[in-house]
Amino acid sequence: MEVKVVLLTGGSSGIGAATAHLLASNGMKVYCGSRRGTIDQPQEGIVPLQLDVNDSAGTEALVKKIVEAEGRLDAVVCCAGNGIYGPVEGTLEQEVRDQFETTYFGAFKSIQACLPVFRKQGFGRIITVTSVMAVLQLPFQAFYASAKAALLSLSQSLSMELRGTGIQCCSILPGDVATGFTAARRLTKAGADENSPYKERMEKNLKKIEHDELHGMEATVIAGSILKQLKKKNMDVRVVPRFDYKMISLLVRILPVKFVLFMLSSLYN
Ligand SMILES: NC(=O)c1ccc[n+]([C@@H]2O[C@H](COP(=O)([O-])OP(=O)(O)OC[C@H]3O[C@@H](n4cnc5c(N)ncnc54)[C@H](OP(=O)(O)O)[C@@H]3O)[C@@H](O)[C@H]2O)c1
């Protein structure tokens, strides 16, 4: 079966918007959800919709609406996400919960809403946009990295659960990408504390992170990886776009953790 109808979350900007444009240019119909419910440039084949991934009932209603309109739903691409920044010490529990709410639970709920449809069809593709930070942690982003690692684990466990159903999972792990993500990043209360004992290191670190992101890949690179997976007969389970990030994530897997963390903290502190 070919992927023709896609539900994409987080489509109002960045990677989601670039993906919606590329998929639509390749003949797919993309239901493109976000809280804003807009897309940067209207395009035939893209249906912008208002969707908060934290709203399970709204997500389920949207899936039903798509199936009623199209008679099918072939894939879900979970891009919706954001990041918080600050030290573990002093981060409020609610701030951690909010990070997980959109980045992990939002994707989980989107996937869960689509699974019964995919199962009935005997076909479905699930793509989660996680991050290299799911496998490579950085200081002051512990909760973003944790949420992405949790989502990567979900994707990999699910891919085994779904064996033999015709439904496949793939997680895309982007490195730095120039998108609205940088401006949308929120400092936690402890991250914004002028008297924080981590203040100097946090500021230096954040400058580097923001510089790397703003000079990072074009969102179209990630969109290309997503399209490639959706067109494959057998999707890969985990994809790190671009050669340099692929190599870094490979080294992280084979080198001793202590050495990797030492190298990273020398670069980022
Ligand atoms: N940029 C990077 O360097 C980078 C690297 C690795 C991974 N990623 C991941 O890539 C994904 C896309 O991020 P991006 O870089 O394209 O950033 P972005 O430009 O800020 O896009 C984030 C998208 O998520 C949507 N969103 C946020 N909360 C939502 C919610 N509750 N319900 C529905 N949509 C929601 C936003 O739309 P609304 O505000 O309209 O809801 C927006 O469309 C994220 O999961 C991010 O963690 C980014």
Side-chain angles (χ1 to χ4, degrees):
M1 244 174 106
E2 213 183 313
V3 174
K4 291 199 170 144
V5 180
V6 179
L7 167 59
L8 182 144
T9 72
S12 60
S13 75
I15 294 170
T19 304
H21 288 301
L22 189 64
L23 301 190
S25 302
N26 279 268
M28 297 177 196
K29 179 112 176 233
V30 186
Y31 285 84
C32 191
S34 65
R35 290 166 303 177
R36 275 170 279 182
T38 54
I39 182 98
D40 47 3
Q41 285 169 345
Q43 182 182 339
E44 204 187 324
I46 301 180
V47 184
L49 292 156
Q50 214 160 28
L51 171 74
D52 185 335
V53 291
N54 299 321
D55 169 16
S56 316
T59 308
E60 281 165 23
L62 175 56
V63 169
K64 194 163 169 243
K65 187 175 153 187
I66 297 171
V67 176
E68 275 167 10
E70 305 290 338
R72 62 193 284 170
L73 173 60
D74 305 316
V76 59
V77 179
C78 302
C79 275
N82 52 34
I84 61 170
Y85 184 85
V88 171
E89 184 179 350
T91 295
L92 305 175
E93 184 180 328
Q94 192 55 48
E95 291 171 327
V96 182
R97 290 188 186 279
D98 290 346
Q99 174 71 88
F100 271 77
E101 199 59 48
T102 302
T103 309
Y104 177 80
F105 285 101
F108 154 62
K109 289 188 267 194
S110 305
I111 293 166
Q112 214 177 37
C114 295
L115 276 171
V117 178
F118 292 165
R119 176 175 295 284
K120 208 164 155 195
Q121 292 173 167
F123 179 84
R125 297 277 187 265
I126 297 166
I127 296 199
T128 49
V129 176
T130 56
S131 169
V132 280
M133 284 192 55
V135 293
L136 178 164
Q137 301 73 31
L138 292 180
F140 308 117
Q141 295 191 81
F143 303 108
Y144 176 69
S146 304
K148 290 298 190 183
L151 185 56
L152 176 63
S153 292
L154 181 151
S155 173
Q156 294 186 184
S157 289
L158 184 61
S159 71
M160 290 184 280
E161 287 179 27
L162 294 173
R163 216 173 71 185
T165 61
I167 310 167
Q168 296 179 27
C169 301
C170 166
S171 192
I172 309 279
L173 286 67
D176 293 314
V177 189
T179 66
F181 184 83
T182 310
R185 176 181 284 113
R186 276 172 292 121
L187 297 187
T188 60
K189 193 164 169 263
D193 181 359
E194 286 299 317
N195 299 314
S196 170
Y198 304 98
K199 186 176 176 334
E200 208 178 298
R201 283 171 58 208
M202 278 195 298
E203 280 179 358
K204 202 169 148 214
N205 193 21
L206 185 58
K207 265 195 198 129
K208 173 162 173 50
I209 289 165
E210 289 185 339
H211 175 274
D212 291 349
E213 285 170 0
L214 295 172
H215 293 83
M217 285 175 267
E218 298 270 338
T220 48
V221 176
I222 312 303
S225 296
I226 294 173
L227 174 68
K228 190 174 164 196
Q229 291 302 318
L230 289 177
K231 288 195 154 192
K232 279 181 98 159
K233 189 166 175 233
N234 294 306
M235 292 204 298
D236 296 309
V237 174
R238 188 196 277 207
V239 175
V240 180
R242 222 172 74 171
F243 182 75
D244 47 354
Y245 287 104
K246 224 184 271 309
M247 285 303 108
I248 291 168
S249 67
L250 182 70
L251 285 175
V252 164
R253 278 159 80 177
I254 56 177
L255 291 171
V257 178
K258 205 170 177 180
F259 177 72
V260 171
L261 297 188
F262 171 75
M263 292 303 288
L264 287 172
S265 55
S266 315
L267 275 172
Y268 282 89
N269 273 289

